[in-house]
Amino acid sequence: MSIRFVKFVSLCVCGILLHLEAAACTLVLLSGKATADGRPLLLKNRDSSEAPLVEMRMVKDEGFSYLAQFAVADSIYSGPWGGFNEKGFAIANSLSFNLKEGQGMGGNGEIIRKGLATCETVDDFEQLLQEMESPMDVMANYAVFDAYGAAAIFEVGMSGYVKYDANDPSVTRRGILIRSNYSLSGDKAHMVGEDRYKIASQYLQKRPDGTIVWEDLLLDLSRLLVNKDGIDLRDTPPESYDDETMVDFNGFIPRDISTNAMVIQGVKMGESPLLTSCWTMVGPPMMTVAVPVMLTEELPSKTVSEGEGAWLCQKGRTLRDVVFAYPETPRVIDLSKLYNQKKTGVMQKIISMENAVIAKGEQLIHELREQGELTSSTLHAFYEWLDLYLDESYVLAFGGDGGGDEGCVNPLVMNGDLNHDNEVDISDVAILVEIILTGMDVTAAADVNGDGVASIADVTAVVEMILGNKAQ
């Protein structure tokens, strides 16, 4: 065998692996016994080299009504990537590249659509698979849960499936199942995405039994800056936004081709399945604010679109290009633009403005659970606040029109600048005190600590910012 032939084969293998990694996803499924509140959780972190525009859609004319993430260009028949329906049944998938039966992929979205439109339980989904004609045009891992406590992953190939029950202690003692882009029942020599699987496993192993919350999955794991070798980029951040620091961003869960993420939270036994909720990022997870959605015809306007991608998706894509700043080396980032000591990185600003959304969103979902039913009027009021808050917050954090124009990120814009003069000083303290005393609506600039309210804690934070600026 010639050396030239060996090199040719090696290049082909590398090309195939890169192609497979370019259509990758990470799934985490938790049964109720693994979570802090007893409700199941399902995370999907989606990667795609095609960089599709993303939106949320509510579909109601196929059977059960359902809410799902879609690519703008996809129809309901080909495109749902994951979602949940009115019966509390949830589903998401990841492609699997080590099943030996062939390369079937065309039916993956079709199975998700059929599951959402027709299934109430995990058993219903298994029955759906059994009734499908063989060979199925499928090669994927499907994570599902229902409103009755069942949760499982089905590894589905052209001629059948293998089921992994999240409540079976012989399968998983803790009620946690993870998949990237290979199946445990497949060829162990072709485990695409093994690094992401190991990172997620190690992260969740550190969480005590029965303590995991949705924030751990969506806000932490999908943005985790720890790579396959255990190196945490947060341990040695650049000094400032302008301290250019090129970093090889291979071997992480979030990547240059990460396009969107979602975590679906189910219900406890006896709760209305309509109280199933979803926190969605319709853009790159490190650069997109997570917002809550529930199964109603009205959705947050920033998560839907009219053919151009959701508002949050467009903002996230622009901010991604600020961080992944080197087109000739797409998997290299400028870490200073993402995360730095002065907390002016893109992800740090996203997290800061996201805190108020989480606080108010959690309060909303808690109130709905207390009522025992889903009320559209309550959601409408929250969505109106959310639209205004995001408009203001993005402009405050990134300048310009809030991330819509290339290169608009402004590291000098910060919370606490209530009079918008590009300085934080005693005049801002006076305005903040007036807001607190008069009960005026809380603006993003006033909510300095991101807890959703304006209080003495925010005054303290502004004073500390002023003193810190004078000390520099």
Side-chain angles (χ1 to χ4, degrees), residues 7-326:
K7 288 183 177 179
F8 173 76
V9 172
S10 298
L11 288 172
C12 288
V13 171
C14 290
I16 291 171
L17 289 175
L18 285 173
H19 170 72
L20 297 181
E21 279 287 301
C25 300
T26 306
L27 289 178
V28 179
L29 175 67
L30 278 65
S31 71
K33 71 179 182 180
T35 65
D37 64 4
R39 297 181 176 90
L41 293 171
L42 171 55
L43 168 75
K44 176 169 181 174
N45 189 85
R46 188 172 193 269
D47 301 321
S48 174
S49 60
E50 298 175 356
L53 294 166
V54 182
E55 65 181 0
M56 298 299 296
R57 288 186 207 165
M58 193 268 203
V59 179
K60 61 176 182 176
D61 55 0
E62 281 206 299
F64 296 139
S65 297
Y66 64 85
L67 182 63
Q69 281 186 337
F70 283 84
V72 170
D74 286 342
S75 71
I76 61 173
Y77 299 103
S78 62
W81 298 330
F84 63 96
N85 67 20
E86 63 184 272
K87 297 297 183 180
F89 175 83
I91 182 171
N93 79 318
S94 67
L95 298 181
S96 177
F97 298 109
N98 72 331
L99 295 173
K100 299 179 180 180
E101 301 152 311
Q103 296 295 315
M105 297 183 191
N108 288 319
E110 177 70 3
I111 287 183
I112 293 177
R113 181 185 70 83
K114 287 183 176 179
L116 290 170
T118 66
C119 295
E120 179 174 353
T121 67
V122 171
D123 287 343
D124 289 343
F125 182 72
E126 185 167 11
Q127 184 68 31
L128 172 67
L129 294 177
Q130 292 171 352
E131 293 174 354
M132 293 184 67
E133 293 184 5
S134 183
M136 296 184 285
D137 188 19
V138 173
M139 197 169 67
N141 306 307
Y142 292 91
V144 296
F145 70 69
D146 61 33
Y148 304 97
I153 282 182
F154 293 84
E155 297 182 347
V156 184
M158 300 286 281
S159 61
Y161 65 87
V162 177
K163 178 182 179 182
Y164 295 81
D165 188 339
N167 290 310
D168 184 346
S170 68
V171 174
T172 168
R173 178 187 63 82
R174 302 182 63 202
I176 300 173
L177 295 174
I178 302 167
R179 293 294 186 275
S180 53
N181 294 105
Y182 64 91
S183 297
L184 299 187
S185 60
D187 185 356
K188 299 299 189 291
H190 297 91
M191 298 166 67
V192 177
E194 186 176 11
D195 290 339
R196 286 178 282 116
Y197 181 95
K198 289 182 177 179
I199 292 170
S201 297
Q202 291 168 359
Y203 173 85
L204 291 170
Q205 284 172 3
K206 297 176 182 178
R207 299 297 188 272
D209 290 349
T211 65
I212 299 172
V213 295
W214 71 265
E215 293 95 327
D216 293 329
L217 303 185
L218 188 66
L219 306 185
D220 203 357
L221 188 58
S222 71
R223 295 169 173 164
L224 194 63
L225 300 185
V226 179
N227 70 6
K228 60 185 179 179
D229 299 316
I231 297 174
D232 191 336
L233 299 181
R234 295 168 296 187
D235 291 341
T236 55
E239 181 176 347
S240 70
Y241 185 89
D242 296 318
D243 183 14
E244 183 178 4
T245 306
M246 296 178 67
V247 173
D248 181 359
F249 206 63
N250 278 302
F252 294 82
I253 288 179
R255 299 187 293 164
D256 61 308
I257 58 172
S258 295
T259 59
N260 53 286
M262 66 191 306
V263 63
I264 304 169
Q265 185 173 42
V267 296
K268 294 180 181 179
M269 290 281 287
E271 289 183 327
S272 169
L274 292 176
L275 294 173
T276 302
S277 59
C278 172
W279 288 83
T280 180
M281 298 169 175
V282 292
M286 294 189 297
M287 300 88 182
T288 305
V289 168
V291 299
V293 291
M294 301 185 80
L295 188 56
T296 56
E297 292 192 36
E298 181 185 15
L299 296 171
S301 68
K302 304 295 195 240
T303 68
V304 299
S305 73
E306 296 182 358
E308 299 180 351
W311 186 92
L312 282 168
C313 176
Q314 295 181 46
K315 302 301 183 188
R317 287 158 64 97
T318 297
L319 295 172
R320 176 194 59 198
D321 293 341
V322 172
V323 174
F324 290 92
Y326 312 102

Side-chain angles (χ1 to χ4, degrees), residues 381-434:
F382 173 78
Y383 291 159
E384 282 193 327
W385 169 84
L386 181 64
D387 284 346
L388 294 173
Y389 176 80
L390 291 176
D391 280 333
E392 180 183 328
S393 296
Y394 269 78
V395 172
L396 180 68
F398 301 115
D401 68 350
D405 298 323
E406 183 176 359
C408 72
V409 175
N410 180 2
L412 299 179
V413 179
M414 63 185 71
N415 286 0
D417 180 18
L418 281 82
N419 59 7
H420 304 294
D421 65 354
N422 293 322
E423 294 184 4
V424 178
D425 53 29
I426 192 63
S427 61
D428 298 299
V429 175
I431 296 172
L432 179 54
V433 170
E434 182 181 3

